[in-house]
Amino acid sequence: MEKFTKLTGVAAPMPLVNIDTDMIIPKQFLKTIKRSGLGANLFDEMRFNLDGTEIADFVLNKPAYRRAEIIVAGENFGCGSSREHAPWALLDFGIRAVIATSFADIFYNNCFKNGILPIVMPEDVVNALMEDAQRGANARITVDLEEQTVTASDGQTYPFEVDAFKRHCMMNGLDDIGLTMEKAASIDSYEAKASTLRPWV
Amino acid sequence: MKARTLYDKIWDDHVVQQADDGTCLLYIDRHLVHEVTSPQAFEGLRMTGRKVRAPEKTIAVPDHNVPTTLDRANGGMNEESRIQVDALDTNAKDFGIHYYPVSDVRQGIVHIVGPEQGWTLPGMTVVCGDSHTATHGAFGSLAHGIGTSEVEHVLATQTLIQRKGKNMKVEITGSLLPGVTAKDITMTVIGETGTAGGTGYVIEYCGQAIRELSMEGRMTVCNMAIEGGARAGLIAPDEKTFAYCMGRPHAPKGAAWEAALTYWKTLFTDEGAHFDKVITIKGEDIAPVVTWGTSPEDVLPITGTVPAASDFTGGKVDAVQRSLDYMGLTPGMKLTDIKIDTVFIGSCTNGRIEDLRAAAAVLKGKKINDGMRAMVVPGSGLVRAQAEEEGLAQIFLDAGFEWRLAGCSMCLAMNPDQLQPGERCAATSNRNFEGRQGRGGRTHLLSPAMAAAAAITGHLTDIREMMAEAV
Ligand code: SF4
């Protein structure tokens, strides 16, 4: 996983609530057996007409946001399915952070496994950042995971909370599986105990 | 000892290790796998030379992509779908996990196959790279969806890194009125809490109306816990649960069964245990419901009218306007005036035998409306076989329905079963997102009986009126 420490970039405003995983990456693109290449179809049905041409007023099609690295969105971002294709598509497009008042559970977790930082902020802060983002490429927002702050283009800084373990893994690009495998002895002894308590499992 | 909820008890029994910050390594008893969210996980194992730690606890079945037309044995799968299904065939074989291939009569939607084969049992932790894993909570097991990275983590270590969620109680008191089903309960709850209302919680459904449901109905209720944002939904096991499990191929037998039963009977929420959030709904207050918008929280009783964006506040105003435009509906219009051209009965929400019975009871001796395209997609090959034996298949065929093979089908339209732009479907599945059933397709979620009623009349219909006519 790519490390994440600090990022300054353009933020795309998406002031919609309940942006679901079917919007982020429609199912016809889930037929892949790879992780890469999904960025081309990120938000496909909102971004492209049936004939493949771009829908001009969709935010990521506007010149200012074509290279956006951050999304600012309404509540409950990422609701719906567990498909990790959603963060893969965001990442492949170049998005490294999403700021919203709330996220769906599974999506939130999936982001951390892929080097995307989901940031929960109170509504007034999201509104302020949304306004900032609306100013386009002139307004670059900074996300600092080490300091746990987001800084708007006017220099105003807002703190955010993040789970310490998730932060640690992300800042160091650590692979969970490797870490857990080091605990094999504990898993062995759990299994030994469980096989006497609940042998039918 | 402190009074604990059912969720607390299952959690406590599965903690392998707890870190100082509360992060736990949680042991996973059953890992279900399907073809769409697993290929990258197996690829990860191969790249790192890792093995599946507990293949005997890992079960795979292809369901999302598979065609449901009768000719599927002779190909009929498009190239990309075939690659995914072939990859699962190969991965199941290479890693030595239990497998139900497309050719096996036991194949079906993973959340229907698990309980049917006795893989899902009370008190277990169950995960799958699929959000509707919540279904298995109907057995009093802690079941939730995970992403592909976590699939790989469970394959390699049989554990998950988790933090405990909060406890939420949803109590449905009293009894349901005639014409009201488990689907109406679960959709009414989402209408009440919103799609984010359960975020961070594990829901325990309880109360008389839940007790009175069959296991099938309980699975329908838990299935949509995720639509309410909850990590999982649970129902305490009881005699109905034990009766359902008994004799299933992978359920314990003999002395092991007795030992299991003793343990399962301890799985209930203690008197006085703490819930962080409680919702109570009277069973008698629940009506047959449908969705009108593009979020599962857009629920109304069938007697209602389409709302206006101005009826809402905050971010929902824009979202509702967008929904109404997408759905092609006008505020104030009666829900029963909404015309339907497609009916889909199936999915892990409502693709079990009882669902087919409920739909067939409405359809018996009737014909679907002219020009209607209607299909039944049983949740598994065994459900299909049973429906044929009971004569349900013939009722569907006589009414004008297509009678398909098992799979996810038009629930998410990854196979060729899709809506065309502007087509409007009454569906027994669980999601009405934009494009869910095909780009530009419009979905109204409802119960199997209500779907059958709409197939006959050609518009959304109050099943209670149809029942009154029949008397
Ligand atoms: S039936 Fe629908 S919701 Fe259920 S597993 Fe299949 S695609 Fe998912």
Side-chain angles (χ1 to χ4, degrees):
Chain A
M1 185 179 76
E2 223 179 302
K3 287 183 193 178
F4 188 114
T5 44
K6 187 173 171 179
L7 156 80
T8 298
V10 171
M14 296 191 75
L16 261 189
V17 299
N18 298 333
I19 293 181
D20 60 65
T21 50
D22 284 64
M23 287 182 184
I24 299 172
I25 184 81
K27 71 260 161 181
Q28 58 271 32
F29 307 109
L30 309 186
K31 293 185 192 259
T32 171
I33 56 171
K34 302 209 177 65
R35 290 170 202 249
S36 55
L38 287 159
N41 304 102
L42 177 71
F43 292 115
D44 193 81
E45 294 179 5
M46 300 165 93
R47 215 167 123 205
F48 302 108
N49 292 305
L50 274 174
D51 63 6
T53 54
E54 289 186 359
I55 298 173
D57 41 316
F58 180 68
V59 60
L60 297 179
N61 288 335
K62 294 182 186 167
Y65 300 107
R66 286 184 170 271
R67 288 167 176 260
E69 290 171 277
I70 302 167
I71 288 176
V72 186
E75 68 174 37
N76 203 26
F77 189 91
C79 62
S81 88
S82 62
R83 61 186 70 155
E84 202 155 315
H85 309 71
W88 294 336
L90 287 164
L91 187 71
D92 195 58
F93 181 88
I95 303 292
R96 295 298 307 275
V98 183
I99 303 172
T101 48
S102 63
F103 292 87
D105 254 356
I106 303 176
F107 176 84
Y108 185 80
N109 263 321
N110 283 343
C111 282
F112 282 100
K113 315 271 179 207
N114 292 284
I116 297 176
L117 182 62
I119 303 172
V120 179
M121 286 286 198
E123 200 176 338
D124 53 329
V125 176
V126 172
N127 290 343
L129 293 170
M130 190 78 74
E131 236 172 77
D132 203 25
Q134 252 132 15
R135 294 171 45 222
N138 302 327
R140 291 163 70 83
I141 290 176
T142 299
V143 174
D144 189 331
L145 180 57
E146 183 152 29
E147 298 291 327
Q148 294 183 221
T149 56
V150 173
T151 306
S153 63
D154 60 3
Q156 177 82 26
T157 292
Y158 308 96
F160 65 85
E161 298 281 324
V162 57
D163 179 88
F165 177 71
K166 289 197 168 89
R167 173 171 170 269
H168 172 78
C169 290
M170 198 140 166
M171 287 185 59
N172 298 290
L174 292 178
D175 158 25
D176 282 352
I177 299 177
L179 290 176
T180 300
M181 293 198 73
E182 288 170 16
K183 298 175 185 157
S186 306
I187 304 174
D188 289 342
S189 67
Y190 175 91
E191 278 179 338
K193 195 179 74 188
S195 69
T196 56
L197 290 175
R198 299 181 294 124
W200 60 88
V201 176
Chain B
M1 198 170 181
K2 192 167 153 266
R4 293 183 298 166
T5 62
L6 172 57
Y7 171 43
D8 296 340
K9 289 181 181 178
I10 302 174
W11 178 274
D12 290 349
D13 279 354
H14 289 86
V15 174
V16 173
Q17 217 181 52
Q18 178 159 358
D20 295 339
D21 68 353
T23 309
C24 289
L25 200 59
L26 201 68
Y27 193 79
I28 301 304
D29 293 327
R30 291 287 178 266
H31 185 190
L32 311 175
V33 174
H34 67 72
E35 80 278 20
V36 178
T37 54
S38 66
Q40 294 86 351
F42 285 110
E43 181 196 52
L45 293 186
R46 282 203 181 83
M47 274 160 42
T48 46
R50 289 168 178 151
K51 293 204 296 271
V52 175
R53 180 179 170 105
E56 73 285 2
K57 294 173 180 165
T58 312
I59 300 99
V61 57
D63 54 5
H64 282 62
N65 270 296
V66 299
T68 58
T69 41
L70 299 179
D71 61 358
R72 81 173 172 202
N74 339 317
M77 229 183 287
N78 71 31
E79 181 67 7
E80 286 167 307
S81 297
R82 199 186 47 73
I83 291 174
Q84 267 190 347
V85 173
D86 285 354
L88 190 60
D89 288 346
T90 310
N91 288 330
K93 197 158 130 257
D94 289 0
F95 290 92
I97 64 184
H98 298 278
Y99 190 47
Y100 301 100
V102 178
S103 55
D104 192 312
V105 68
R106 297 166 298 177
Q107 178 270 345
I109 304 169
V110 61
H111 308 308
I112 292 192
V113 172
E116 210 168 63
Q117 294 300 320
W119 291 114
T120 308
L121 298 169
M124 286 182 163
T125 44
V126 181
V127 297
C128 174
D130 190 281
S131 57
H132 291 98
T133 311
T135 315
H136 308 264
F139 291 79
S141 59
L142 178 59
H144 58 87
I146 54 179
T148 300
S149 298
E150 289 176 319
V151 169
E152 188 178 338
H153 192 280
V154 177
L155 288 172
T157 69
Q158 205 58 26
T159 64
L160 258 190
I161 300 169
Q162 284 268 299
R163 288 179 82 97
K164 194 162 175 226
K166 289 178 285 186
N167 280 288
M168 174 165 164
K169 171 158 108 173
V170 173
E171 186 176 7
I172 315 292
T173 61
S175 295
L176 298 179
L177 296 174
V180 182
T181 67
K183 184 67 167 287
D184 301 298
I185 295 184
T186 201
M187 285 172 58
T188 299
V189 172
I190 299 159
E192 197 97 345
T193 60
T195 50
T199 305
Y201 292 95
V202 166
I203 298 179
E204 180 175 347
Y205 298 94
C206 60
Q208 186 185 328
I210 298 290
R211 289 280 135 235
E212 288 175 0
L213 292 176
S214 65
M215 286 313 295
E216 270 98 351
R218 293 178 191 182
M219 285 188 252
T220 302
V221 170
C222 290
N223 173 274
M224 288 188 75
I226 183 73
E227 268 62 55
R231 188 175 291 179
L234 285 171
I235 295 175
D238 61 10
E239 293 304 324
K240 280 186 196 169
T241 322
F242 309 145
Y244 180 100
C245 295
M246 198 160 124
R248 301 261 161 199
H250 296 278
K253 313 261 154 32
W257 170 263
E258 293 306 323
L261 208 53
T262 307
Y263 173 75
W264 294 344
K265 288 182 175 166
T266 67
L267 299 173
F268 54 84
T269 290
D270 297 331
E271 192 73 29
H274 176 73
F275 283 96
D276 303 280
K277 190 166 171 180
V278 177
I279 287 179
T280 308
I281 297 175
K282 285 205 193 99
E284 299 80 27
D285 288 351
I286 300 175
V289 291
V290 296
T291 58
W292 49 268
T294 55
S295 164
E297 71 191 16
D298 299 341
V299 171
L300 279 175
I302 181 68
T303 47
T305 55
V306 175
S310 57
D311 299 343
F312 296 83
T313 54
K316 191 73 187 162
V317 179
D318 287 350
V320 168
Q321 193 51 57
R322 190 183 161 89
S323 276
L324 293 177
D325 293 346
Y326 181 86
M327 293 296 289
L329 295 175
T330 326
M333 149 180 210
K334 281 167 70 179
L335 294 174
T336 47
D337 286 342
I338 296 176
K339 297 238 178 324
I340 296 295
D341 45 49
T342 309
V343 169
F344 168 66
I345 296 178
S347 88
C348 58
T349 317
N350 284 127
R352 284 170 286 269
I353 190 70
E354 210 173 82
D355 302 311
L356 304 197
R357 286 185 194 135
V362 176
L363 289 165
K364 190 161 190 187
K366 302 238 171 54
K367 292 264 181 243
I368 59 174
N369 196 47
D370 275 351
M372 176 78 60
R373 166 185 176 212
M375 64 167 95
V376 184
V377 184
S380 72
L382 293 178
V383 169
R384 187 174 196 274
Q386 190 175 347
E388 289 182 341
E389 209 179 288
E390 292 183 16
L392 308 180
Q394 203 53 49
I395 295 177
F396 287 118
L397 287 166
D398 291 346
F401 270 79
E402 293 176 48
W403 178 244
R404 296 295 190 87
L405 298 176
C408 293
S409 177
M410 207 190 261
C411 172
L412 94 164
M414 267 187 90
N415 75 354
D417 306 335
Q418 298 183 5
L419 294 180
Q420 296 305 310
E423 278 187 331
R424 191 181 293 281
C425 180
T428 65
S429 45
N430 46 52
R431 283 187 181 141
N432 53 348
F433 297 152
E434 283 180 26
R436 172 76 177 184
Q437 295 193 281
R439 184 169 179 151
R442 296 161 170 165
T443 303
H444 296 277
L445 302 175
L446 33 54
S447 73
M450 292 272 283
I456 297 167
T457 62
H459 55 84
L460 294 179
T461 299
D462 190 338
I463 183 67
R464 294 167 301 188
E465 281 175 19
M466 207 174 255
M467 289 159 67
E469 274 169 31
V471 176

